[in-house]
Amino acid sequence: MPAAGVANAEPASGDISRSTAAHVDRVDSVTDRELTMHVYSPAMDRTVRLDVIRPADASGPRPVLYLLNGAGGGEDAATWQQQTDVREFFDDKDVNVVIPVGGAYSYYTDWQQDDQVLGRQRWTTFLTEELPPVLDQALGTSGRNAIAGMSMSGGSALALAADAPDLYQAVAAYSGCAQTSSEPGQNYVELVVHLGGGDVENMWGPVGGPEWIARDVTLNAEKLRGKALYISSGGGLPGPHEFSSAPNPVDYAVLGTIEAAVSQCNERLRNTLDGLGIEATYDLRPDGTHSWGYWQDALHDSWPMIAAAIGG
């Protein structure tokens, strides 16, 4: 049975077969404001879990914020729910927060080939084509959307917005690198995919090939025009969250190095957007590492901009 306030979005008798149409498989209530939805993806031929935070006031149509997890895809402990105050932060806000669970090391993109380890990945198709109409019906949304991501999914959020320019009114990228045509950007993508045991050439073909160039958001930045954009990253130096938590020096060195590389990607993106006259809000700091404290801060800081764009 659907949870309270959630419509049954499964195809009715006589509609397209359940095996070929995206549909809600089931909905489980977690709390009075939290749901776990399971939505079938024809493109990946599997059911995808979605953690959903419902609006404070669900009496009318509300927008959707798609909030993506990082490299682990929400399948590990590195999630918005476990590492930040996301539940408390959205407690008084009128927006549906939808957090997909799955897609570890996938870059939330459509892979050219199924991978021996990571399997079939068709996340662009699922997130931009299959899922939105199902959610619009099931949650009774306003039809206005934003997407945000951190680390791996920061670049993915920008890429998904470029792939589906009419779907999202706002995009936020926290410590993401959306540059895939340069050697540093390619090295970063390779590292992430290899961490998951995947073959990166199954994703976009040979490294440096045409698809890698085509996926580079800095080369497709015109598609971001007219959206509310928020881009943040640190410079890798110790910042307030390092001083407050006293991390292991080895961890700090690694996280600082990653963030310094990400910062270079975002400076290039900023130069590109400035050159095209595309407005964006930036928080590109000299300090801060690749870590959750800064992503929580960035979510808080970017929310007013996102809310203004989608009506949350």
Side-chain angles (χ1 to χ4, degrees):
M1 293 292 293
V6 178
N8 188 338
E10 296 184 11
S13 177
D15 286 351
I16 298 173
S17 168
R18 286 170 55 99
S19 64
T20 58
H23 62 270
V24 176
D25 184 70
R26 75 178 192 274
V27 180
D28 301 319
S29 294
V30 179
T31 70
D32 60 346
R33 288 277 305 283
E34 294 181 69
L35 311 171
T36 300
M37 299 181 68
H38 300 266
V39 175
Y40 174 72
S41 165
M44 293 189 282
D45 193 22
R46 70 173 185 261
T47 299
V48 177
R49 171 182 158 186
L50 308 166
D51 292 339
V52 179
I53 303 172
R54 292 287 275 150
D57 178 3
S59 62
R62 304 300 182 199
V64 176
L65 169 62
Y66 294 87
L67 189 58
L68 304 180
N69 282 301
E75 300 174 48
D76 53 13
T79 69
W80 284 103
Q81 295 98 315
Q82 295 190 57
Q83 301 296 329
T84 75
D85 66 351
V86 65
R87 292 184 180 88
E88 295 79 8
F89 181 69
F90 285 103
D91 189 57
D92 61 347
K93 296 172 177 62
D94 289 328
V95 62
N96 295 283
V97 181
V98 176
I99 307 175
V101 178
Y105 310 103
S106 71
Y107 270 86
Y108 291 106
T109 189
D110 282 359
W111 286 42
Q112 293 181 354
Q113 305 289 335
D114 293 352
D115 189 80
Q116 186 174 358
V117 174
L118 299 180
R120 177 166 297 177
Q121 309 290 343
R122 301 287 189 276
W123 287 95
T124 297
T125 297
F126 176 67
L127 291 171
T128 66
E129 298 177 21
E130 296 176 342
L131 182 59
V134 172
L135 288 183
D136 288 345
Q137 180 180 350
L139 301 179
T141 78
S142 67
R144 297 186 68 79
N145 306 289
I147 188 166
M150 37 65 64
S151 190
M152 178 191 82
S153 67
S156 299
L158 290 164
L160 288 162
D163 282 325
D166 296 328
L167 181 59
Y168 310 104
Q169 286 72 51
V171 188
Y174 317 131
S175 297
C177 180
Q179 190 173 45
T180 58
S181 64
S182 69
E183 184 174 351
Q186 291 165 3
N187 290 341
Y188 185 75
V189 174
E190 286 186 89
L191 172 64
V192 171
V193 174
H194 288 163
L195 282 173
D199 182 344
V200 74
E201 294 198 355
N202 285 332
M203 186 166 68
W204 294 326
V207 177
E211 186 68 10
W212 286 74
I213 297 172
R215 304 309 305 170
D216 193 322
V217 173
T218 60
L219 302 180
N220 295 280
E222 185 62 40
K223 295 180 180 180
L224 299 176
R225 186 181 297 277
K227 302 183 190 307
L229 302 174
Y230 180 96
I231 299 164
S232 68
S233 58
L237 297 175
H241 291 292
E242 280 70 48
F243 292 126
S244 65
S245 60
N248 181 292
V250 175
D251 292 341
Y252 159 69
V254 172
L255 297 176
T257 300
I258 292 172
E259 194 70 358
V262 166
S263 179
Q264 293 178 10
C265 284
N266 285 329
E267 289 290 355
R268 295 187 190 102
L269 179 59
R270 181 176 190 168
N271 290 338
T272 298
L273 294 175
D274 286 350
L276 292 171
I278 297 175
E279 294 185 2
T281 298
Y282 300 95
D283 182 16
L284 306 181
R285 308 171 312 279
D287 61 357
T289 64
H290 203 70
S291 50
W292 279 102
Y294 299 103
W295 302 329
Q296 174 175 290
D297 291 346
L299 176 62
H300 290 193
D301 292 344
S302 61
W303 173 247
M305 180 208 76
I306 295 171
I310 63 176

